[in-house]
Amino acid sequence: MAGSSNKSRGLVSAAMRAVSGAPAAKPPTTAEPTAEYGFSGHLVGFVEALRARGIPVGPSETVDAAQVVTVLDLMDREALREGLACALLRRTTQRATYDGLFDLWFPAALGERVGAEEVEIPLKPNGAVDIIELRKMLAELLVQDPSGEQERQLQALAAQMVEQMGQYQAAGGPSFSAYQTLKDLQPEILVAKLLAGLTAGMDNSDFDTEVARRTARQRIKGFRGTVEAETRRRVAERIGRERVATYGVARQAEDADFLRISQNELDDLRRSSQRLARILASRLAARRRRSRRGEIDLRKTLRKSMSTGGVPIDLVTRKPRPGRPDLVLLCDISGSVAGFSSFTMVLVNALREQFSRVRIFAFVDRSDEVTKLFDSVTPLDQSTRRIFTEADVVGIEGHSDYGSALEGFAENFPDAVTSRTSLLILGDARNNYRDPALGTLADLVAVAKHAYWLNPEAEKMWGTGDSAAKKYAEVIEMHECRSARQLTAVVGRLLPV
């Protein structure tokens, strides 16, 4: 018991030193913790990797994780995975990133897996892999009911495939590729074979068939993930887990680049829009509470200080004039910026209570109001589709034309922007070399109380090619917003209270 207690205190104190700002040595890049750093340093390195990939892990969570590992059997890898997840994670959306980093920092093996040779890959007489027989072997494993033995065999098969089919000669020596491992096998073509095996003995109703089809696709996707995890493990041993983590581990959807965001990441953002809206609402409410105190009235303060010999003991503040401003969004929904604009529209629409009125306008080369298409119950993808079918946002050519959109907005909705309005323009400012209508934008900025442009492109790309961003930036304050995290920070800082 004394040894266990000392171990617990040692791990916890090491974790507290690491997260309290004390200088810490850099963890080793190999997959196995060394005696110099010990398990506590290895755990801190894992926590730092989580933070680097956008998972907020604070000092309290780190100390909890250190305490968790003192009561777990470190030889039970899955128990360690779940125990650390309970201590370090706050949301289910963080799990994919966590699992990818856990596999790198706590690998299942070093080098070739022990016992993987029990599963033999079928070979032709000439020594080449027999792809047809390999597909049959994989189908037989995937059609079985999930169990510990089936999972072990699938992992062994994946390890053997990576070792025999995934190796290639890189500049720095031999390496491994998941693409090369699976390119000849093409496991997706096994859906029909798995479907036949999963529906054997059923009544083959439409419902049962659809369930079996989804199950088949899910199992194939799971096996592909097993191969990719095995590949990352082998590559990390060669080039270091920190380097592999930068490109081989799923990032948080909030950190995904809007111009390169995947459909899965966009779906995660849609599900988290209400949470981000609550964060923004709390920030705006806090700023509004502070603003109620009013600014210091220097003249009245100095006058009142005459009673105290010129010492301004009692500060006099100007009486604030509370009032929630109007908010107008003008959003480019063409091409690659559509995901950025659509998410921002939903996010700001969820902040309706923070403003006296919110109006949303969309455009490609024509502007139209789409406020009525956004509500708390309609999914984001449906709202986006309705814009193109129910709103007049696309002209004859259908290419982005910011100048035409700005002029149409000013002409058709002259009452939208007033002295009480905060104007937010969303888009990459790529105008296809057309007239940017800078004069029209300048008039709108002059009328509005606040005016900002949110650009999803990197600032270094502004003004390149057909981008008119630098020209617009001379007229309106422009901010880079490449990810949902950056967007939340910028909007929370800029929106008036």
Side-chain angles (χ1 to χ4, degrees):
M1 290 295 291
S4 176
S5 177
N6 291 335
K7 177 184 176 183
S8 175
R9 286 195 296 269
L11 277 170
V12 173
S13 61
M16 292 182 67
R17 286 196 303 271
V19 299
S20 62
K26 184 179 179 181
T29 58
T30 57
E32 184 178 8
T34 64
E36 179 184 356
Y37 297 93
F39 192 84
S40 58
H42 192 75
L43 178 61
V44 170
F46 177 56
V47 169
E48 291 174 350
L50 291 174
R51 290 175 183 160
R53 296 302 283 176
I55 298 180
V57 181
S60 61
E61 289 87 0
T62 306
V63 173
D64 289 343
Q67 291 176 329
V68 163
V69 298
T70 63
V71 297
L72 291 176
D73 180 4
L74 299 185
M75 299 302 293
D76 189 340
R77 185 166 174 267
E78 292 308 310
L80 180 63
R81 182 197 298 269
E82 299 304 322
L84 290 179
C86 291
L88 298 174
L89 302 185
R90 301 179 185 178
R91 302 193 303 271
T92 56
T93 55
Q94 300 168 346
R95 188 59 193 251
T97 303
Y98 168 86
D99 283 336
L101 291 173
F102 182 89
D103 289 338
L104 291 177
W105 258 256
F106 303 91
L110 295 177
E112 296 185 37
R113 284 178 181 260
V114 177
E117 64 278 1
E118 297 177 4
V119 177
E120 295 184 1
I121 293 181
L123 302 176
K124 295 180 180 179
N126 61 1
V129 176
D130 191 334
I131 298 298
I132 303 299
E133 291 299 321
L134 180 58
R135 285 174 183 161
K136 292 180 180 178
M137 175 188 293
L138 178 59
E140 291 174 358
L141 286 174
L142 292 178
V143 81
Q144 296 176 15
D145 292 333
S147 64
E149 177 62 22
Q150 183 232 24
E151 181 66 22
R152 189 187 66 79
Q153 290 182 346
L154 285 174
Q155 290 178 351
L157 177 60
Q160 287 284 54
M161 288 175 57
V162 171
E163 180 68 27
Q164 298 184 35
M165 302 168 60
Q167 286 199 51
Y168 71 98
Q169 193 66 29
S175 190
F176 301 88
S177 166
Y179 168 77
Q180 184 165 313
T181 302
L182 296 171
K183 68 175 182 178
D184 293 329
L185 181 64
Q186 297 180 341
E188 284 74 14
I189 67 177
L190 297 176
V191 171
K193 186 179 290 291
L194 292 183
L195 186 61
L198 292 172
T199 56
M202 297 184 180
D203 57 3
N204 292 330
S205 65
D206 293 341
F207 176 79
D208 290 338
T209 302
E210 181 61 25
V211 170
R213 181 178 290 108
R214 294 188 182 187
T215 301
R217 290 173 178 168
Q218 189 64 31
R219 291 184 181 180
I220 291 173
K221 181 180 179 181
F223 179 74
R224 178 177 286 275
T226 301
V227 172
E228 291 171 351
E230 179 69 15
T231 304
R232 287 194 298 268
R233 180 183 71 82
R234 299 301 301 272
V235 174
E237 293 175 2
R238 189 178 73 85
I239 65 175
R241 57 182 172 236
E242 287 85 359
R243 185 175 173 185
V244 174
T246 60
Y247 68 85
V249 176
R251 58 192 170 182
Q252 292 293 284
E254 295 173 17
D255 295 319
D257 192 322
F258 278 121
L259 300 184
R260 298 173 179 83
I261 194 168
S262 67
Q263 188 59 46
N264 289 337
E265 290 169 333
L266 187 58
D267 291 340
D268 288 340
L269 278 185
R270 291 168 180 166
R271 289 190 288 268
S272 64
S273 61
Q274 292 299 321
R275 179 181 58 81
L276 293 177
R278 289 195 298 270
I279 293 174
L280 275 177
S282 63
R283 291 179 183 175
L284 294 176
R287 287 174 53 196
R288 185 173 289 114
R289 286 194 300 270
R290 291 194 298 268
S291 67
R292 290 194 184 119
R293 292 194 292 266
E295 298 179 353
I296 295 176
D297 190 321
L298 185 59
R299 177 179 296 180
K300 291 183 179 180
T301 298
L302 293 178
R303 183 176 298 171
K304 193 168 185 178
S305 70
M306 295 175 64
S307 62
T308 57
V311 180
I313 296 177
D314 298 321
L315 300 180
V316 180
T317 57
R318 294 188 180 96
K319 185 177 181 180
R321 295 178 173 83
R324 297 183 177 182
D326 297 340
L327 182 63
V328 170
L329 262 69
L330 184 58
C331 312
D332 180 7
I333 59 169
S334 64
S336 59
V337 299
F340 162 66
S341 295
S342 300
F343 174 73
T344 308
M345 285 188 280
V346 170
L347 184 65
V348 173
N349 183 70
L351 296 173
R352 282 181 177 273
E353 296 180 357
Q354 303 296 321
F355 301 92
S356 60
R357 182 173 60 170
V358 174
R359 298 183 68 180
I360 302 175
F361 298 84
F363 71 89
V364 175
D365 55 356
R366 291 181 180 176
S367 300
D368 198 6
E369 184 167 7
V370 295
T371 309
K372 62 182 180 180
L373 303 182
F374 288 86
D375 52 51
S376 58
V377 296
T378 304
L380 174 59
D381 53 346
Q382 293 185 20
S383 299
T384 306
R385 286 197 297 269
R386 291 180 63 190
I387 290 177
F388 287 100
T389 57
E390 300 181 25
D392 184 17
V393 296
V394 182
I396 297 176
E397 295 186 10
H399 298 296
S400 294
D401 189 340
Y402 282 76
S404 175
L406 288 170
E407 291 174 344
F409 172 72
E411 179 181 352
N412 299 326
F413 305 97
D415 61 335
V417 179
T418 67
S419 58
R420 286 175 46 85
T421 300
S422 293
L423 175 64
L424 284 183
I425 301 178
L426 314 177
D428 58 4
R430 293 205 168 269
N431 200 37
N432 292 301
Y433 302 102
R434 299 176 181 180
D435 179 16
L438 296 177
T440 303
L441 177 61
D443 293 339
L444 292 172
V445 173
V447 173
K449 185 176 182 179
H450 306 281
Y452 306 105
W453 189 305
L454 307 184
N455 193 327
E457 270 198 337
E459 188 171 353
K460 64 182 180 181
M461 300 299 296
W462 297 358
T464 61
D466 63 343
S467 172
K470 287 198 172 182
K471 295 180 181 179
Y472 285 130
E474 295 175 356
V475 179
I476 186 173
E477 186 176 333
M478 187 173 289
H479 296 268
E480 176 188 294
C481 290
R482 299 177 61 189
S483 66
R485 194 182 303 277
Q486 192 176 14
L487 173 67
T488 304
V490 171
V491 171
R493 186 175 71 252
L494 295 181
L495 284 182
V497 294

